Amino acid sequence: MTEHLPFQVMGKPIGPRCNLDCTYCYYLEKENLYPDTKRFNMSDAVLETYIRDYLASQAGFPAREIRFNWQGGEPTMLGLDYFRRIVELQRKYLPRGKTVANTIQTNGTLIDDAWCAFLKDNDFLVGVSIDGPPRLHDRFRTYRNGRPSHDAVMAGIKRMKAHGVEFNTLSVVNRENAAHPKEVYRFLKDIGSTYLQFIPIVERTADGHSLAPAPQIDEDGVSYDVTPWSVLPRGYGDFLCGVFDEWIREDVGRVFVQFFDLQLGLWMGAPATMCWFAETCGQGPALEHNGDLYACDHYVYPEYRLGNIMETPIAEMMGSDAQWQFGLDKRDALPGQCRNCDIRFACNGGCPKHRFARTKDGEPGLNYYCRSTSRFVKHAGPAMKVMADLVRSGRPASDIMELRRTGRLAGPSAASARPGRNDRCPCGSGLKYKHCCGRL
């Protein structure tokens, strides 16, 4: 038993149950862990134990705010009364001197005016899953009968905006939308999202943990046993670079892209704020509907079950030798190519779940997305360095846009921040760049 660090639980009070049947969803198959379960709702006894013990486990740390993350499946299927009970229990057990905050990740299809009023009144931050415009979103995010879901998601977003509910967007980067980075980015901006998360999807069967088919996919002579919807390494890297080129022209400081924020912090030498990029991990466990606690949301498998909160305090499980070793393995299992990599700081080997590729000399354990990270760092690194230098000197990172407009940004940084042909010319003429200074 080791003293635990602060941790953030991904609470799944409805387990894997969802009203959608997204092709790429890795969590729907978790029903197989509980074959005798017909109703996945977290009971009141488990819910109260979780809220009480989690609040107590975080009470001794300096941070004033204690955050709860509610995910699924689709958590809104539990109904409003269930979440009213959550707020009631949080108020009952909140430690003195602390505040509580809630985040809920939803597909948005069940959000009505009553939900919006509740979310606004209780200051919930809402994460909406949406993959882009209709033709890209509906490729994989459908109802069980195959009906598209985009219109219902947009209706939910429209209601939240009308009620002033704070929301951000989470987009799964898949084989289809990865080819359209600018279209996806512009669409998300147009619907009012100012905080964007892009999560790549890759599934395979080689580890025995996926039920999906896995034909071989070739990219530049390298074969990958991944599903047809999995984004390939080059495709994901191209997507990130495409979004970056749009963002850096006029949106730095106005639109926040999680990946770019993380990278800027790493370029400044700050610790990673997301486990994928941290040197070690183990502070993001997943809590299933029946109180089972797993080492990580990506490792909800029997061998990574830490115990049950109805039998063992959550703090004790998070301080266990097994969980500490799980976190340290991320660092200790790095292959030699990663240990000697010049840009190791930018990824620290990435998520262990994605380390199924091989290094140049054949050593196992290379992250599937290694090429994507290298592609992004080569493309955006010079601009990241400029922004990091700006922040260190007490200036906002957004000043990079003015440096570009006034021609004071030179070298590779200028290339990655150059205005597009159809952008408004930075000289202030009001014309498109291609019809103004771009002609020179």
Side-chain angles (χ1 to χ4, degrees):
M1 173 69 181
T2 311
E3 185 177 353
H4 71 85
L5 299 172
F7 55 90
Q8 285 274 311
V9 179
M10 290 190 181
K12 297 178 178 288
I14 199 169
R17 286 291 166 85
C18 187
N19 62 324
L20 297 186
D21 188 21
C22 301
T23 306
Y24 54 59
C25 183
Y26 70 93
Y27 211 79
L28 293 180
E29 69 180 42
K30 302 305 177 185
E31 288 188 3
N32 298 319
L33 290 174
Y34 306 98
D36 299 326
T37 301
K38 293 183 173 58
R39 185 176 176 83
F40 277 81
N41 296 18
M42 184 179 286
S43 70
D44 192 72
V46 175
L47 182 66
E48 183 165 6
T49 299
Y50 166 48
I51 291 175
R52 181 195 67 213
D53 289 2
Y54 179 61
L55 287 170
S57 74
Q58 305 301 302
F61 294 106
R64 188 165 183 265
E65 182 183 89
I66 302 174
R67 180 170 293 276
F68 284 81
N69 302 306
W70 305 102
Q71 299 191 5
E74 176 49 45
T76 59
M77 290 175 64
L78 291 164
L80 269 174
D81 286 343
Y82 193 94
F83 278 84
R84 291 190 181 105
R85 176 63 172 159
I86 285 175
V87 173
E88 176 187 325
L89 289 169
Q90 289 173 339
R91 290 170 178 165
K92 177 180 178 180
Y93 292 109
L94 185 64
R96 185 182 300 275
K98 298 290 186 178
T99 61
V100 68
N102 288 283
T103 298
I104 183 171
Q105 186 66 39
T106 174
N107 58 42
T109 60
L110 301 177
I111 300 295
D112 56 17
D113 289 326
W115 264 107
C116 289
F118 170 83
L119 295 168
K120 177 65 175 177
D121 290 345
N122 293 281
D123 295 321
F124 271 62
L125 172 61
V126 182
V128 181
S129 299
I130 184 167
D131 290 351
R135 67 183 180 84
L136 297 176
H137 174 92
D138 290 332
R139 178 65 180 84
F140 298 118
R141 298 188 64 82
T142 64
Y143 291 92
R144 294 185 182 278
N145 61 3
R147 184 165 55 92
S149 66
H150 192 273
D151 288 350
V153 178
M154 287 303 301
I157 290 176
K158 183 178 180 180
R159 291 190 186 98
M160 286 191 288
K161 290 170 69 176
H163 284 263
V165 176
E166 186 180 0
F167 77 95
N168 57 44
T169 53
L170 186 153
S171 303
V172 174
V173 183
N174 54 67
R175 191 76 58 83
E176 296 292 327
N177 64 3
H180 307 278
K182 295 181 180 180
E183 182 181 359
V184 171
Y185 179 72
R186 290 170 183 170
F187 170 82
L188 296 173
K189 280 207 310 177
D190 288 345
I191 66 173
S193 179
T194 56
Y195 186 84
L196 287 59
Q197 299 178 66
F198 295 113
I199 306 298
I201 183 68
V202 59
E203 286 185 337
R204 65 195 186 107
T205 57
D207 59 359
H209 290 321
S210 175
L211 302 180
Q216 279 211 338
I217 304 296
D218 293 326
E219 182 182 80
D220 296 341
V222 180
S223 294
Y224 300 102
D225 289 321
V226 296
T227 55
W229 49 84
S230 296
V231 60
L232 295 175
R234 184 176 64 186
Y236 182 48
D238 289 344
F239 178 87
L240 291 173
C241 293
V243 172
F244 184 82
D245 288 347
E246 284 285 293
W247 173 78
I248 201 171
R249 287 172 188 155
E250 56 184 26
D251 293 329
V252 183
R254 291 195 291 252
V255 176
F256 300 90
V257 179
Q258 182 191 48
F259 185 88
F260 302 160
D261 289 349
L262 285 162
Q263 286 296 310
L264 181 56
L266 293 172
W267 274 84
M268 295 183 64
T273 54
M274 182 180 177
C275 57
W276 282 22
F277 302 93
E279 186 175 30
T280 61
C281 61
Q283 279 72 58
L287 181 70
E288 255 296 335
H289 69 289
N290 67 338
D292 284 347
L293 189 71
Y294 293 86
C296 171
D297 182 49
H298 287 280
Y299 284 86
V300 180
Y301 306 115
E303 59 267 40
Y304 294 98
R305 179 181 175 273
L306 299 174
N308 189 286
I309 63 172
M310 303 303 286
E311 301 167 356
T312 308
I314 194 169
E316 183 177 327
M317 287 187 280
M318 289 304 296
S320 67
D321 291 342
Q323 186 64 2
W324 273 90
Q325 190 60 54
F326 174 83
L328 292 174
D329 284 346
K330 182 179 191 292
R331 178 196 64 197
D332 297 343
L334 278 176
Q337 180 176 315
C338 295
R339 294 177 187 275
N340 299 317
C341 180
D342 291 339
I343 61 168
R344 176 180 169 182
F345 73 93
C347 72
N348 279 303
C351 179
K353 187 67 184 295
H354 300 146
R355 294 180 182 176
F356 55 86
R358 289 184 176 272
T359 65
K360 295 176 182 178
D361 57 3
E363 186 181 0
L366 183 69
N367 196 292
Y368 174 80
Y369 292 117
C370 175
R371 180 175 180 179
S372 303
T373 305
S374 300
R375 166 89 169 90
F376 178 80
V377 170
K378 180 179 180 180
H379 180 82
M384 283 288 176
K385 183 180 185 303
V386 171
M387 288 188 286
D389 290 342
L390 285 169
V391 175
R392 289 192 190 98
S393 65
R395 297 171 61 183
S398 56
D399 278 2
I400 192 173
M401 296 185 294
E402 181 63 20
L403 293 176
R404 176 184 63 84
R405 293 188 187 103
T406 57
R408 287 179 287 160
L409 192 63
S413 299
S416 61
R418 187 167 49 238
R421 285 171 47 79
N422 291 311
D423 288 350
R424 184 161 295 187
C425 190
C427 75
S429 67
L431 299 174
K432 289 184 177 180
Y433 179 69
K434 65 183 178 182
H435 295 314
C436 191
C437 296
R439 293 182 300 173
L440 303 178

